Amino acid sequence: MKITELTGVKPNPNVPALSPGDTVKIGIKVKEGDKERIQSFQGVVIRIRNGDAGGSFTVRRVAYGIGVERTFPMASPLLEKVQIIRHGKVRRAKLYYLRGLSAKKARIKEKRFPKEFEEALVPTPEPEQTPEQTPEQTQA
């Protein structure tokens, strides 16, 4: 028997397939008093832990010269959206070595895909259907 059967963890549909080295922008629901807002956090995925209870991923960014890391559960309902900004070209599963690097040395090259794969990775939004206008409306 798996732990997901006991706890009832459901996967969050807002979390796409991530890999280490990806630059992501995460929208987190934050409750302050009686108000709720979405706070964004953008950084590089340095670790992914897969497990029976949904797993988690760690994102690192440098804010005002200080490295900040946050770990997010993949099944958390507080994750409003996870948007992949760019895919990184890395050869390791855990990117802990980024903690000791700064500035230009900490940059990760972008993974390039052929055109046919790129269209499959990023779905294009369909344009909204608008009712056709008559020629009198466009001239007025």
Side-chain angles (χ1 to χ4, degrees), residues 92-111:
R92 297 173 186 264
K94 309 284 194 254
L95 305 179
Y96 298 140
Y97 67 91
L98 290 177
R99 293 173 177 164
L101 302 179
S102 64
K104 206 167 186 180
K105 291 182 181 180
R107 291 185 190 168
I108 297 175
K109 288 186 176 181
E110 187 172 1
K111 190 187 295 184

Side-chain angles (χ1 to χ4, degrees), residues 65-116:
I66 298 172
V68 179
E69 294 181 7
R70 281 189 76 173
T71 302
F72 302 99
M74 288 195 189
S76 174
L78 296 178
L79 293 179
E80 184 68 27
K81 67 176 181 175
V82 177
Q83 179 183 7
I84 299 176
I85 306 293
R86 55 186 276 196
H87 295 280
K89 184 178 180 182
V90 293
R91 294 169 50 171
R92 297 173 186 264
K94 309 284 194 254
L95 305 179
Y96 298 140
Y97 67 91
L98 290 177
R99 293 173 177 164
L101 302 179
S102 64
K104 206 167 186 180
K105 291 182 181 180
R107 291 185 190 168
I108 297 175
K109 288 186 176 181
E110 187 172 1
K111 190 187 295 184
R112 298 289 181 166
F113 294 103
K115 290 280 186 189
E116 57 268 7

Side-chain angles (χ1 to χ4, degrees), residues 2-132:
K2 292 188 176 185
I3 197 161
T4 54
E5 296 171 4
L6 295 173
T7 58
V9 175
K10 298 177 184 83
N12 190 340
N14 298 331
V15 180
L18 298 173
S19 61
D22 290 352
T23 302
V24 293
K25 186 173 185 178
I26 302 165
I28 310 136
K29 290 181 190 174
V30 176
K31 190 169 186 178
E32 295 172 340
D34 56 345
K35 296 181 183 177
E36 190 173 283
R37 64 182 178 91
I38 297 175
Q39 184 180 39
S40 65
F41 188 85
Q42 182 172 339
V44 178
V45 177
I46 63 166
R47 172 176 80 176
I48 295 179
R49 300 180 101 183
N50 294 318
D52 284 340
S56 64
F57 60 98
T58 303
V59 180
R60 177 180 173 80
R61 68 178 287 192
V62 177
Y64 301 103
I66 298 172
V68 179
E69 294 181 7
R70 281 189 76 173
T71 302
F72 302 99
M74 288 195 189
S76 174
L78 296 178
L79 293 179
E80 184 68 27
K81 67 176 181 175
V82 177
Q83 179 183 7
I84 299 176
I85 306 293
R86 55 186 276 196
H87 295 280
K89 184 178 180 182
V90 293
R91 294 169 50 171
R92 297 173 186 264
K94 309 284 194 254
L95 305 179
Y96 298 140
Y97 67 91
L98 290 177
R99 293 173 177 164
L101 302 179
S102 64
K104 206 167 186 180
K105 291 182 181 180
R107 291 185 190 168
I108 297 175
K109 288 186 176 181
E110 187 172 1
K111 190 187 295 184
R112 298 289 181 166
F113 294 103
K115 290 280 186 189
E116 57 268 7
F117 292 125
E118 202 168 290
E119 294 169 357
L121 288 174
V122 181
T124 56
E126 296 179 10
E128 295 181 17
Q129 298 292 332
T130 58
E132 293 186 27

